[in-house]
Coordinates of all heavy atoms in Angstrom, one line a residue:
Chain A
R401 N -0.4 24.1 -26.4 CA -1.6 23.2 -26.2 C -1.4 21.8 -26.7 O -1.9 20.8 -26.2 CB -2.8 23.9 -26.7 CG -3.4 25.0 -26.0 CD -3.9 24.7 -24.6 NE -4.8 23.6 -24.5 CZ -6.1 23.6 -24.7 NH1 -6.6 24.7 -25.0 NH2 -6.8 22.5 -24.6
S425 N 2.8 22.2 -9.6 CA 2.9 20.7 -9.7 C 2.6 20.3 -11.2 O 1.9 21.0 -11.9 CB 1.8 20.1 -8.8 OG 1.9 20.5 -7.5
Y427 N 1.3 16.9 -13.5 CA 0.7 15.6 -13.6 C 0.6 15.1 -15.0 O 0.4 15.9 -15.9 CB -0.8 15.7 -13.0 CG -0.8 16.0 -11.5 CD1 -0.6 17.3 -11.0 CD2 -1.0 15.0 -10.7 CE1 -0.6 17.5 -9.7 CE2 -1.0 15.2 -9.3 CZ -0.8 16.5 -8.8 OH -0.8 16.7 -7.4
Q429 N -1.6 12.5 -17.5 CA -2.9 11.9 -17.6 C -2.9 11.0 -18.8 O -2.8 11.5 -19.9 CB -4.0 12.8 -17.6 CG -5.4 12.2 -17.6 CD -6.6 13.1 -17.5 OE1 -6.5 14.3 -17.9 NE2 -7.7 12.7 -17.0
L435 N -4.5 9.8 -13.7 CA -3.7 11.0 -13.3 C -2.6 10.6 -12.4 O -2.9 10.1 -11.3 CB -4.7 12.0 -12.7 CG -5.5 12.8 -13.6 CD1 -6.8 13.2 -13.0 CD2 -4.8 14.1 -14.1
F437 N 1.0 11.9 -10.4 CA 1.9 13.0 -10.0 C 3.3 12.9 -10.5 O 3.9 11.8 -10.3 CB 1.8 13.0 -8.4 CG 2.8 14.0 -7.8 CD1 2.5 15.4 -7.8 CD2 3.9 13.6 -7.2 CE1 3.3 16.3 -7.2 CE2 4.8 14.5 -6.5 CZ 4.5 15.8 -6.6
E440 N 6.5 18.5 -7.8 CA 6.1 19.7 -7.4 C 7.2 20.6 -7.0 O 8.3 20.2 -6.5 CB 5.2 19.6 -6.1 CG 4.6 21.0 -5.7 CD 4.6 21.2 -4.3 OE1 5.2 20.4 -3.5 OE2 4.0 22.2 -3.8
R447 N 9.9 20.0 -4.2 CA 9.5 19.6 -2.9 C 9.0 18.2 -2.9 O 9.1 17.6 -1.8 CB 8.3 20.5 -2.5 CG 7.9 20.4 -1.1 CD 7.3 21.6 -0.5 NE 5.9 21.9 -1.1 CZ 5.1 22.9 -0.6 NH1 5.5 23.6 0.4 NH2 3.9 23.1 -1.2
N448 N 8.6 17.6 -3.9 CA 8.2 16.2 -4.0 C 8.3 15.7 -5.4 O 8.2 16.5 -6.4 CB 6.7 16.1 -3.4 CG 6.4 14.7 -3.0 OD1 7.2 13.8 -3.0 ND2 5.2 14.6 -2.4
L480 N -1.8 13.7 -21.8 CA -2.1 15.0 -21.4 C -1.3 15.4 -20.2 O -1.4 14.8 -19.2 CB -3.6 15.2 -21.2 CG -4.1 16.6 -20.8 CD1 -3.9 17.6 -22.0 CD2 -5.5 16.5 -20.3
L482 N -0.7 18.0 -17.3 CA -1.4 19.1 -16.6 C -0.5 19.8 -15.6 O 0.2 19.1 -14.8 CB -2.6 18.6 -15.9 CG -3.7 18.1 -16.9 CD1 -4.7 17.1 -16.2 CD2 -4.5 19.3 -17.4
S486 N -0.8 26.4 -6.7 CA -1.4 26.7 -5.5 C -0.6 27.7 -4.7 O 0.6 27.9 -5.1 CB -1.7 25.5 -4.6 OG -0.5 25.0 -4.1
V491 N -0.8 23.7 2.8 CA -0.5 22.4 2.3 C -1.7 21.6 2.0 O -2.3 21.8 0.9 CB 0.4 21.6 3.2 CG1 0.9 20.4 2.5 CG2 1.6 22.5 3.5
F492 N -2.2 20.8 2.9 CA -3.2 19.8 2.5 C -4.6 20.5 2.2 O -5.5 19.9 1.6 CB -3.4 18.7 3.5 CG -4.1 19.1 4.8 CD1 -5.5 19.0 4.9 CD2 -3.4 19.6 5.8 CE1 -6.1 19.4 6.1 CE2 -3.9 20.0 7.0 CZ -5.3 19.9 7.2
N493 N -4.8 21.7 2.7 CA -6.1 22.3 2.4 C -6.0 23.4 1.3 O -6.9 24.2 1.2 CB -6.7 22.9 3.7 CG -5.8 24.0 4.3 OD1 -4.7 24.3 3.7 ND2 -6.2 24.5 5.5
S494 N -5.0 23.4 0.5 CA -4.8 24.3 -0.6 C -5.3 23.6 -1.8 O -4.6 22.7 -2.3 CB -3.4 24.8 -0.8 OG -3.0 25.6 0.3
P495 N -6.4 24.1 -2.5 CA -6.8 23.5 -3.7 C -5.7 23.8 -4.8 O -5.1 24.8 -4.8 CB -8.1 24.1 -4.0 CG -8.1 25.4 -3.3 CD -7.3 25.2 -2.1
L496 N -5.5 22.8 -5.7 CA -4.7 23.1 -6.9 C -5.6 23.6 -8.0 O -6.7 23.1 -8.2 CB -4.1 21.8 -7.4 CG -3.2 21.0 -6.4 CD1 -2.4 19.9 -7.1 CD2 -2.2 22.0 -5.7
H497 N -5.1 24.6 -8.7 CA -5.8 25.2 -9.9 C -5.0 24.7 -11.1 O -3.8 25.1 -11.2 CB -5.9 26.7 -9.7 CG -6.6 27.1 -8.5 ND1 -8.0 27.2 -8.5 CD2 -6.2 27.3 -7.2 CE1 -8.4 27.5 -7.3 NE2 -7.4 27.7 -6.5
F498 N -5.7 24.1 -12.0 CA -5.0 23.5 -13.2 C -5.2 24.4 -14.4 O -6.1 25.1 -14.6 CB -5.7 22.1 -13.5 CG -5.3 21.0 -12.5 CD1 -5.9 20.9 -11.3 CD2 -4.3 20.1 -12.8 CE1 -5.6 19.9 -10.4 CE2 -3.9 19.2 -12.0 CZ -4.5 19.0 -10.7
G499 N -4.2 24.2 -15.3 CA -4.2 24.8 -16.6 C -5.0 23.9 -17.6 O -5.6 22.8 -17.2
N500 N -5.0 24.3 -18.9 CA -5.7 23.5 -19.9 C -5.0 22.3 -20.3 O -5.5 21.4 -21.0 CB -6.0 24.4 -21.1 CG -7.1 25.4 -20.9 OD1 -8.0 25.2 -20.1 ND2 -6.9 26.5 -21.5
Chain B
Y299 N -6.1 15.7 6.4 CA -6.1 15.6 4.9 C -7.3 16.4 4.3 O -8.1 16.9 5.1 CB -6.3 14.1 4.5 CG -7.5 13.5 5.1 CD1 -8.8 13.5 4.6 CD2 -7.3 12.7 6.4 CE1 -9.8 12.9 5.2 CE2 -8.4 12.1 7.0 CZ -9.7 12.2 6.4 OH -10.7 11.6 7.0
G300 N -7.1 16.7 3.0 CA -8.2 17.4 2.3 C -8.7 16.6 1.2 O -8.0 15.9 0.6
F302 N -11.0 16.8 -2.4 CA -11.3 17.7 -3.5 C -12.1 17.0 -4.5 O -11.9 15.8 -4.8 CB -10.0 18.3 -4.1 CG -9.1 18.9 -3.1 CD1 -8.2 18.2 -2.4 CD2 -9.1 20.3 -2.9 CE1 -7.3 18.7 -1.5 CE2 -8.2 20.9 -2.0 CZ -7.4 20.1 -1.3
Y304 N -12.9 17.6 -8.7 CA -12.6 18.3 -9.9 C -13.5 17.9 -11.0 O -13.9 16.7 -11.1 CB -11.2 18.1 -10.3 CG -10.2 18.9 -9.5 CD1 -9.7 18.3 -8.3 CD2 -9.7 20.1 -9.8 CE1 -8.8 19.0 -7.5 CE2 -8.8 20.8 -9.0 CZ -8.3 20.2 -7.9 OH -7.4 20.9 -7.1
Q306 N -13.6 17.7 -15.3 CA -12.8 17.8 -16.5 C -13.7 17.6 -17.7 O -14.1 16.5 -18.1 CB -11.7 16.7 -16.5 CG -10.7 16.9 -17.6 CD -9.6 15.9 -17.6 OE1 -9.8 14.7 -17.3 NE2 -8.4 16.3 -17.9
S309 N -12.5 19.4 -23.1 CA -11.4 20.3 -23.4 C -10.1 20.0 -22.7 O -9.0 20.3 -23.1 CB -11.8 21.7 -23.2 OG -12.1 21.9 -21.8
G310 N -10.3 19.2 -21.6 CA -9.1 18.8 -20.8 C -8.8 19.5 -19.6 O -8.1 19.0 -18.7
E311 N -9.2 20.7 -19.4 CA -8.9 21.5 -18.2 C -9.6 20.9 -17.0 O -10.7 20.4 -17.0 CB -9.4 23.0 -18.4 CG -9.1 23.8 -17.2 CD -9.7 25.2 -17.3 OE1 -10.5 25.5 -18.3 OE2 -9.5 26.1 -16.5
M312 N -8.8 20.8 -15.9 CA -9.4 20.4 -14.6 C -9.9 21.6 -13.8 O -9.1 22.5 -13.5 CB -8.3 19.7 -13.8 CG -7.7 18.4 -14.4 SD -8.8 17.1 -14.3 CE -8.5 16.6 -12.6
F314 N -11.6 23.0 -10.5 CA -11.8 22.8 -9.0 C -13.3 23.1 -8.7 O -13.8 24.2 -9.0 CB -10.8 23.6 -8.2 CG -11.2 23.7 -6.7 CD1 -11.1 22.6 -5.9 CD2 -11.6 24.9 -6.1 CE1 -11.5 22.7 -4.6 CE2 -11.9 25.0 -4.8 CZ -11.8 23.9 -4.0
Y317 N -14.1 21.6 -1.8 CA -13.1 21.1 -0.9 C -13.7 20.8 0.5 O -14.6 21.5 0.9 CB -12.0 22.2 -0.7 CG -11.2 22.0 0.5 CD1 -10.2 21.0 0.6 CD2 -11.5 22.7 1.7 CE1 -9.4 20.8 1.7 CE2 -10.7 22.5 2.9 CZ -9.7 21.6 2.9 OH -9.0 21.4 4.1
F358 N -13.5 13.9 -11.0 CA -12.5 13.2 -10.2 C -12.5 13.7 -8.8 O -12.6 14.9 -8.4 CB -11.1 13.6 -10.8 CG -10.9 13.0 -12.1 CD1 -11.1 13.8 -13.3 CD2 -10.4 11.8 -12.3 CE1 -10.8 13.3 -14.6 CE2 -10.1 11.2 -13.5 CZ -10.3 12.0 -14.7
R362 N -5.4 15.2 -0.6 CA -4.1 15.6 -0.2 C -3.9 15.2 1.3 O -4.8 15.6 2.0 CB -3.8 17.0 -0.4 CG -3.6 17.5 -1.8 CD -3.3 19.0 -1.8 NE -1.9 19.3 -1.9 CZ -1.5 20.5 -2.1 NH1 -2.3 21.5 -2.1 NH2 -0.2 20.7 -2.2
E363 N -2.9 14.6 1.6 CA -2.6 14.4 3.1 C -1.6 15.4 3.6 O -0.8 16.0 2.8 CB -2.0 13.0 3.2 CG -2.8 11.8 2.8 CD -2.1 10.5 2.9 OE1 -0.9 10.5 2.6 OE2 -2.7 9.5 3.4
A364 N -1.7 15.6 4.9 CA -0.7 16.5 5.5 C 0.7 16.0 5.4 O 1.6 16.7 5.1 CB -1.1 16.9 7.0
G369 N 6.2 13.0 3.8 CA 6.6 13.9 2.7 C 5.7 13.9 1.5 O 6.0 14.3 0.4
T370 N 4.4 13.4 1.8 CA 3.5 13.4 0.7 C 2.6 14.6 0.6 O 1.7 14.7 -0.2 CB 2.6 12.2 0.8 OG1 1.9 12.3 2.1 CG2 3.4 10.9 0.8
A371 N 2.9 15.6 1.4 CA 2.0 16.8 1.6 C 1.6 17.4 0.3 O 0.5 17.9 0.1 CB 2.6 17.8 2.5
S372 N 2.6 17.5 -0.7 CA 2.3 18.3 -1.8 C 1.6 17.5 -2.9 O 1.3 18.1 -3.9 CB 3.6 18.9 -2.3 OG 4.6 17.9 -2.4
K373 N 1.4 16.2 -2.7 CA 0.9 15.4 -3.8 C -0.6 15.2 -3.7 O -1.1 15.0 -2.6 CB 1.6 14.0 -3.7 CG 1.0 13.0 -4.6 CD 1.7 11.6 -4.3 CE 1.0 10.5 -5.0 NZ 1.7 9.2 -4.7
L374 N -1.3 15.3 -4.9 CA -2.7 15.2 -4.9 C -3.0 13.8 -5.6 O -2.4 13.5 -6.7 CB -3.3 16.2 -5.8 CG -4.8 16.5 -5.8 CD1 -5.3 16.9 -4.4 CD2 -5.2 17.6 -6.8
F376 N -5.5 11.1 -7.2 CA -6.8 11.1 -7.9 C -7.4 9.7 -7.9 O -6.7 8.7 -8.0 CB -6.7 11.6 -9.3 CG -6.5 13.1 -9.4 CD1 -5.1 13.6 -9.4 CD2 -7.5 14.0 -9.6 CE1 -5.0 15.0 -9.5 CE2 -7.3 15.3 -9.7 CZ -6.0 15.8 -9.6

Side-chain angles (χ1 to χ4, degrees):
Chain A
R401 285 297 308 276
S425 303
Y427 290 79
Q429 186 178 24
L435 282 148
F437 172 74
E440 186 223 7
R447 188 155 71 171
N448 201 358
L480 179 66
L482 290 160
S486 72
V491 190
F492 73 90
N493 60 4
S494 293
L496 302 191
H497 299 274
F498 286 82
N500 287 330
Chain B
Y299 52 89
F302 305 83
Y304 285 86
Q306 187 177 42
S309 59
E311 182 184 7
M312 295 285 282
F314 167 65
Y317 160 80
F358 291 94
R362 284 182 100 174
E363 296 174 322
T370 60
S372 50
K373 172 184 167 182
L374 197 61
F376 286 89

